[in-house]
Amino acid sequence: MRHMPRVLAAGALAVAALAVTAPSATAGSTGALACTANWSASSGEGYANGKWCNNNTLVSGTVHDTKSDGRCPFVRGYLSGGGWRDSDWAGPKGDSSPVNIDAPSGQTFTRVAMSYIRC
């Protein structure tokens, strides 16, 4: 399986220094997908952009691989209760993958950052 960012070998993961902080969550949801603010991030391996949705419980967007370097970028969403969730990774160069990361019940995302695996 090409997209398995949660099963990574030790040392195959790096986190970019640039992180994007989530906007303040707003009360009241109608049940429909409510995307309130845009986010974007980039690294030497590629870039990603998308939206904060459903009071920061969903990070949605696309990640793009822009370099033939054996590194495949993905988006890591950091959770309010600690820990993180990863998107699918994009690669090789020219590939893109959707970013659809859901927070566990009772948690929200506080920020996103670019990361990569060796691929």
Side-chain angles (χ1 to χ4, degrees):
M1 296 177 87
R2 189 182 93 170
H3 296 284
M4 293 187 58
R6 290 191 183 119
V7 183
L8 300 174
L13 172 71
V15 177
L18 176 67
V20 180
T21 304
S24 298
T26 56
S29 175
T30 62
L33 189 62
C35 300
T36 57
N38 296 326
W39 59 267
S40 63
S42 62
S43 67
E45 296 74 36
Y47 69 96
N49 48 44
K51 294 188 178 286
W52 299 99
C53 301
N54 295 350
N55 295 318
N56 302 339
T57 61
L58 173 67
V59 174
S60 181
T62 307
V63 60
H64 306 268
D65 188 346
T66 59
K67 214 170 177 186
S68 293
D69 58 3
R71 298 175 180 173
C72 294
F74 65 92
V75 173
R76 174 165 283 179
Y78 290 88
L79 297 162
S80 58
W84 62 84
R85 293 275 172 107
D86 294 336
S87 73
D88 288 342
W89 48 270
K93 180 182 178 181
D95 186 42
S96 62
S97 291
V99 172
N100 290 303
I101 318 170
D102 288 304
S105 181
Q107 293 192 52
T108 60
F109 288 105
T110 59
R111 64 187 174 101
V112 295
M114 294 289 292
S115 299
Y116 70 87
I117 62 167
R118 297 208 181 272
C119 56

